[in-house]
Amino acid sequence: AQSVTQLDSQVPVFEEAPVELRCNYSSSVSVYLFWYVQYPNQGLQLLLKYLSGSTLVKGINGFEAEFNKSQTSFHLRKPSVHISDTAEYFCAVSDAAGGGADGLTFGKGTHLIIQP
Amino acid sequence: ETGVTQTPRHLVMGMTNKKSLKCEQHLGHNAMYWYKQSAKKPLELMFVYNFKEQTENNSVPSRFSPECPNSSHLFLHLHTLQPEDSALYLCASSANTGNAYGYTFGSGTRLTVV
């Protein structure tokens, strides 16, 4: 079984400043890792995913994340945030070898608040 | 619009009512999912359907009953719910239940049980 920890429930950042949202996972097997974003009154939208290969993954809206196997982390970063980035961000993990029947395991989410 | 449509967007029901949530996708995906999203808690996987067959129910109470008549439609039938069942119910689909595929989520149904 996997688990995901998003230590920060809320991250306030000034507009145009860089941001990092932290995600740590626990698993005894190889994993796939995902970041999703949820805007108010909407469902979740896939930002990016790590399956294999390069540990630096680029996603939509200028976000990127780096997979660090030794630290079991998959932190999300953006060099310069915009007001429109205000949303809830979810990290998720799944078993890379599994058939997928157990779906994705999500963290509790981090609320990114952009201050003007 | 993501390609996954959920209706209704909002639902208020009494504990003795029976209602159904509907999810529809025309993305050609074969797998569909129900998730429950409660405040301050991680998303909880409720049901997984792959090619219309249920593959996971994750110990969900029997007052929640899923139905998947075809690969494009998924229902969640509700009866005798409890106030703690109030939450955002999200439907998602993917090309396959293989974990490498990203999920496409609907906008959710906000359920309030009174």
Side-chain angles (χ1 to χ4, degrees):
Chain A
Q2 297 88 33
S3 66
V4 177
T5 301
Q6 292 181 249
L7 287 172
D8 305 306
S9 60
Q10 195 168 283
V11 173
V13 181
F14 286 107
E15 194 173 14
E16 298 184 7
V19 68
E20 178 179 83
L21 305 183
R22 296 181 293 169
C23 172
N24 288 89
Y25 68 92
S26 173
S27 177
S28 59
V29 298
S30 296
V31 297
Y32 296 145
L33 293 155
F34 305 81
W35 274 100
Y36 283 84
V37 60
Q38 185 178 31
Y39 299 104
N41 301 314
Q42 294 188 30
L44 279 69
Q45 179 184 358
L46 180 65
L47 268 180
L48 48 79
K49 62 182 178 181
Y50 170 79
L51 304 181
S52 65
S54 173
T55 57
L56 183 63
V57 180
K58 293 190 183 297
I60 62 172
N61 302 340
F63 284 93
E64 63 180 33
E66 185 155 21
F67 170 57
N68 188 318
K69 187 175 182 179
S70 63
Q71 297 185 8
T72 59
S73 68
F74 190 55
H75 300 333
L76 181 70
R77 295 191 288 259
K78 186 170 183 177
S80 176
V81 296
H82 189 266
I83 288 286
S84 59
D85 292 322
T86 296
E88 194 82 17
Y89 291 80
F90 293 92
C91 182
V93 65
S94 67
D95 179 358
D102 45 352
L104 300 181
T105 299
F106 287 86
K108 291 185 179 181
T110 297
H111 189 196
L112 178 60
I113 303 169
I114 309 301
Q115 301 168 325
Chain B
E1 191 62 50
T2 66
V4 178
T5 303
Q6 289 188 245
T7 54
R9 291 295 304 273
H10 300 273
L11 177 63
V12 179
M13 60 185 289
M15 289 188 284
T16 59
N17 290 161
K18 290 184 179 181
K19 295 287 184 182
S20 296
L21 309 185
K22 180 182 177 182
C23 177
E24 184 174 353
Q25 60 91 7
H26 295 290
L27 300 170
H29 289 171
N30 298 316
M32 297 186 78
Y33 313 80
W34 280 117
Y35 276 87
K36 176 183 179 182
Q37 185 178 25
S38 304
K40 308 302 181 186
K41 294 176 67 176
L43 273 75
E44 302 171 51
L45 177 64
M46 300 176 72
F47 300 103
V48 178
Y49 277 85
N50 190 29
F51 289 98
K52 304 187 300 178
E53 298 297 320
Q54 184 175 308
T55 58
E56 176 70 28
N57 71 0
N58 238 27
S59 302
V60 177
S62 59
R63 57 186 183 270
F64 294 93
S65 174
E67 179 189 1
C68 189
N70 54 60
S71 294
S72 298
H73 294 85
L74 184 64
F75 295 90
L76 187 62
H77 302 302
L78 317 170
H79 65 96
T80 59
L81 295 190
Q82 304 298 310
E84 60 265 28
D85 296 322
S86 298
L88 181 67
Y89 288 84
L90 291 166
C91 174
S93 70
S94 68
N96 193 290
T97 53
N99 288 332
Y101 297 89
Y103 290 7
T104 301
F105 282 85
S107 297
T109 294
R110 174 69 62 186
L111 174 66
T112 303
V113 181
V114 298

